[in-house]
């Protein structure tokens, strides 16, 4: 229930875990659509607030060593060429030093012993964050920050944490925060964290967005705190060869049946970094086109997990694909997004379907398989005519009649390729 006897208070109502009873009629698809309809009501997906193609430089492992005004301004220029909508400065923008600092041994304990912990570092940002925000506005890029609530005494300082974020909103218009370092060992911690989120939302007119880091510890997740933003799902790095594009795609594919894909931030990395460490691995990031790596995140909220200034010139061509994607991003995310085809294995035909009554979208991936055509089971009924129009990637327009389990045949010319279609069911 989320409560033990010791959590009950005589002077205060305590909320147990939510239980929802759903009703549906029909097959598995009807069941999943009923579930998704409920999940989509928890937090309304507003295009100007919740849709994003975010860049966060932490994926290149410089930690806070490079973070300063000049670096941030250069990163913004690179981000603009890519078509990035949100630039997030991770750990290192603030005066206080965290345990993850490459420059000093900091701590997350007793943060508020330093009243200026969450103010911009005057050595790194002598003019505050104003110049960064101003340049971001000129380029059409929203500035976002990293934040780690003060953990001691079950987050007893939650009001101070909330006020620090609200102050950043009022001073700079910053409203999107990556929330890291959470540990929720008991009910009181959960309550205080919820109060912190609610206070920030209330004092920013519900404009705040929290990227809830779920990479470690006992935190929120797929069914807790989802009313406050999206989920920063995982940390992957080429430095230790734990970034494989199909691993990331598989995680998203598996989760998308039960968790709204548009509530997940999914990463793509600089495929040129550490290419030598993968040797001749056929699934190494360098084996894929940069456009494919981005496409593997499109069903979710794409996260460019790298330093834009570290990319080679050829990478900036990705901006053309991102510009086209942004035109359909919100409409794609409005549908019920479910997995189609086979589970990603590096050698599969796989993808996603976004369902909206008699229309929607398909994203199809041909992984490293010799089969030039794939037959993918979808969520269409059997024996209906579907008109398919290619929007992104390489695919041909066609009209098909679905086969068993709604199957469609898709042809892609080369391995590790993709196509996004818009579709209409013809009556």
């Amino acid at each position: 229930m989320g409560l033990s006897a010791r959590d009950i208070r005589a002077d205060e109502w305590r909320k147990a875990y939510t239980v929802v009873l759903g009703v549906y009629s029909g097959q598995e698809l009807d069941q999943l659509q009923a579930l998704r309809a409920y999940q989509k009501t928890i937090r309304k997906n507003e295009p100007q607030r919740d849709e994003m193609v975010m860049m966060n430089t932490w994926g290149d492992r410089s930690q806070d060593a490079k973070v300063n005004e000049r670096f941030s301004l250069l990163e913004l220029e690179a981000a603009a060429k890519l078509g990035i909508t949100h630039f997030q400065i991770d750990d290192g923008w603030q005066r206080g030093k965290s345990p993850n600092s490459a420059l000093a041994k900091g701590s997350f304990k007793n943060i508020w012993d330093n009243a200026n912990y969450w103010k911009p570092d005057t050595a790194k940002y002598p003019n505050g964050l104003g110049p960064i925000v101003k340049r971001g506005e000129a380029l059409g890029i929203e500035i976002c920050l990293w934040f780690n609530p003060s953990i001691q005494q079950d987050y007893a300082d939650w009001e101070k944490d909330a006020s620090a974020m609200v102050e950043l909103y009022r001073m700079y218009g910053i409203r999107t925060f990556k929330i890291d370092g959470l540990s929720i060992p008991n009910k009181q911690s959960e309550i205080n964290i919820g109060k912190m989120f609610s206070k920030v939302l209330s004092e920013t007119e519900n404009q705040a967005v929290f990227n809830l880091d779920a990479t470690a510890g006992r935190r929120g997740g797929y069914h807790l705190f989802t009313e406050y933003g999206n989920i920063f799902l995982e940390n992957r790095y080429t430095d230790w060869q734990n970034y494989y594009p199909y691993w990331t795609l598989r995680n998203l594919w598996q989760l998308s049946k039960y968790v709204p894909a548009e509530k997940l931030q999914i990463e793509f990395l600089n495929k040129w970094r550490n290419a030598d460490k993968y040797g001749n691995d056929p699934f190494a990031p360098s084996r894929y086109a940069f456009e494919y790596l981005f496409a593997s995140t499109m069903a979710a909220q794409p996260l460019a997990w790298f330093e834009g200034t570290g990319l080679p010139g050829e990478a900036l061509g990705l901006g053309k694909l991102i510009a086209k994607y942004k035109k359909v991003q919100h409409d794609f995310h409005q549908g019920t997004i479910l997995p189609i085809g086979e589970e990603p294995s590096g050698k599969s035909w796989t993808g996603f379907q976004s369902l909206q009554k008699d229309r929607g979208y398909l994203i199809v991936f041909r992984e490293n398989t010799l089969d030039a055509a794939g037959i993918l089971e979808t969520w269409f009924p059997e024996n209906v005519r579907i008109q398919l129009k290619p929007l992104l990637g390489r695919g041909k327009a066609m009209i098909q009649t679905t086969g068993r389990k709604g199957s469609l045949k898709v042809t892609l010319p080369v391995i590790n390729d993709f196509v996004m279609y818009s579709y209409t069911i013809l009556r």
Side-chain angles (χ1 to χ4, degrees), residues 154-229:
D154 303 326
Y155 300 91
D157 287 326
W158 66 267
E159 288 184 274
K160 294 179 181 178
D161 292 333
S163 294
M165 286 184 274
V166 171
E167 182 179 351
L168 288 161
Y169 173 77
R170 291 174 177 165
M171 182 173 294
Y172 299 113
I174 293 170
R175 61 176 176 170
T176 302
F177 298 92
K178 178 184 175 184
I179 302 297
D180 204 355
L182 291 184
S183 177
I184 310 176
N186 54 45
K187 190 65 179 181
Q188 189 61 57
S189 292
E190 179 189 313
I191 290 170
N192 288 342
I193 291 168
K195 287 180 178 179
M196 178 190 73
F197 290 143
S198 295
K199 178 180 173 65
V200 176
L201 278 177
S202 174
E203 297 194 20
T204 61
E205 299 177 315
N206 288 318
Q207 288 303 301
V209 180
F210 298 105
N211 313 128
L212 300 171
D213 188 307
T215 62
R218 188 173 178 177
R219 305 181 178 181
Y222 311 128
H223 308 294
L224 181 67
F225 295 145
T226 56
E227 65 268 39
Y228 298 118

Side-chain angles (χ1 to χ4, degrees), residues 103-383:
L103 304 173
K105 290 185 178 180
S107 173
F108 287 145
K109 293 182 179 179
N110 301 313
I111 280 177
W112 288 105
D113 286 353
N114 176 0
N116 295 316
Y117 193 104
W118 291 117
K119 289 184 169 30
D121 188 323
T122 52
K124 294 180 176 185
Y125 295 94
N127 304 299
L129 297 176
I132 314 303
V133 172
K134 183 178 179 180
R135 186 56 183 155
E137 289 175 348
L139 296 171
I141 299 173
E142 186 170 325
I143 304 303
C144 315
L145 294 175
W146 172 91
F147 193 90
N148 195 110
S150 189
I151 196 170
Q152 70 279 351
Q153 293 181 291
D154 303 326
Y155 300 91
D157 287 326
W158 66 267
E159 288 184 274
K160 294 179 181 178
D161 292 333
S163 294
M165 286 184 274
V166 171
E167 182 179 351
L168 288 161
Y169 173 77
R170 291 174 177 165
M171 182 173 294
Y172 299 113
I174 293 170
R175 61 176 176 170
T176 302
F177 298 92
K178 178 184 175 184
I179 302 297
D180 204 355
L182 291 184
S183 177
I184 310 176
N186 54 45
K187 190 65 179 181
Q188 189 61 57
S189 292
E190 179 189 313
I191 290 170
N192 288 342
I193 291 168
K195 287 180 178 179
M196 178 190 73
F197 290 143
S198 295
K199 178 180 173 65
V200 176
L201 278 177
S202 174
E203 297 194 20
T204 61
E205 299 177 315
N206 288 318
Q207 288 303 301
V209 180
F210 298 105
N211 313 128
L212 300 171
D213 188 307
T215 62
R218 188 173 178 177
R219 305 181 178 181
Y222 311 128
H223 308 294
L224 181 67
F225 295 145
T226 56
E227 65 268 39
Y228 298 118
N230 56 34
I231 298 172
F232 180 97
L233 186 66
E234 58 190 3
N235 288 314
R236 292 194 182 277
Y237 304 98
T238 57
D239 305 70
W240 301 295
Q241 302 90 64
N242 64 8
Y243 173 59
Y244 282 91
Y246 85 86
W247 287 3
T248 291
L249 181 60
R250 182 172 61 195
N251 282 356
L252 176 58
W253 191 92
Q254 290 177 326
L255 286 167
S256 65
K257 192 171 183 179
Y258 307 106
V259 178
E262 69 273 14
K263 297 291 184 73
L264 302 172
Q265 286 191 300
I266 299 294
E267 80 287 354
F268 68 106
L269 274 68
N270 178 348
K271 74 188 190 89
W272 294 274
R273 272 190 83 244
N274 301 311
D276 57 315
K277 293 186 178 182
Y278 287 83
N280 295 319
D281 194 321
F283 303 112
S286 61
R287 300 275 185 168
Y288 299 79
F290 203 36
E291 287 78 7
Y292 183 97
L293 301 188
F294 173 78
S296 69
T297 73
M298 292 193 305
Q301 300 294 339
L303 175 66
W305 190 228
F306 50 69
E307 296 171 14
T309 54
L311 294 172
E314 63 183 289
L316 301 179
L318 178 63
K320 296 178 182 178
L321 174 61
I322 293 180
K324 293 178 181 178
Y325 167 72
K326 288 189 294 188
K327 293 178 181 178
V328 299
Q329 180 181 20
H330 182 62
D331 194 48
F332 181 90
H333 286 157
Q334 287 295 92
T336 297
I337 300 172
L338 295 171
I340 61 172
E342 303 167 304
E343 178 180 307
S345 65
K347 296 183 177 182
S348 303
W349 279 89
T350 187
F352 302 92
Q353 180 173 356
S354 173
L355 297 93
Q356 295 189 41
K357 202 173 181 181
D358 290 338
R359 69 176 189 93
Y361 300 87
L362 296 171
I363 305 177
V364 177
F365 299 93
R366 174 188 173 182
E367 295 189 303
N368 190 353
T369 171
L370 294 178
D371 298 327
I375 297 177
L376 296 89
E377 294 179 0
T378 72
W379 297 94
F380 293 120
E382 295 181 10
N383 200 33

Side-chain angles (χ1 to χ4, degrees), residues 46 87 92 217 251 279-280 358 410 415:
E46 296 184 358
F87 173 63
N251 282 356
N280 295 319
D358 290 338
V410 179
I415 64 169

Side-chain angles (χ1 to χ4, degrees), residues 2 20 33 60 86 117 134 136 181 231 339 400 414:
V20 178
Q33 286 182 313
D60 278 7
H86 292 64
Y117 193 104
K134 183 178 179 180
I231 298 172
Q400 276 194 50
V414 296

Side-chain angles (χ1 to χ4, degrees), residues 8 11 40 42 54 59 64 72 83-84 141 194 200 208 235 292 320 330 344 351 367 398 420:
I8 296 172
D11 60 341
K40 282 179 175 289
I42 296 173
M54 178 180 283
D64 61 343
S72 299
I84 298 296
I141 299 173
V200 176
N235 288 314
Y292 183 97
K320 296 178 182 178
H330 182 62
E367 295 189 303
M398 55 186 172
M420 175 191 262

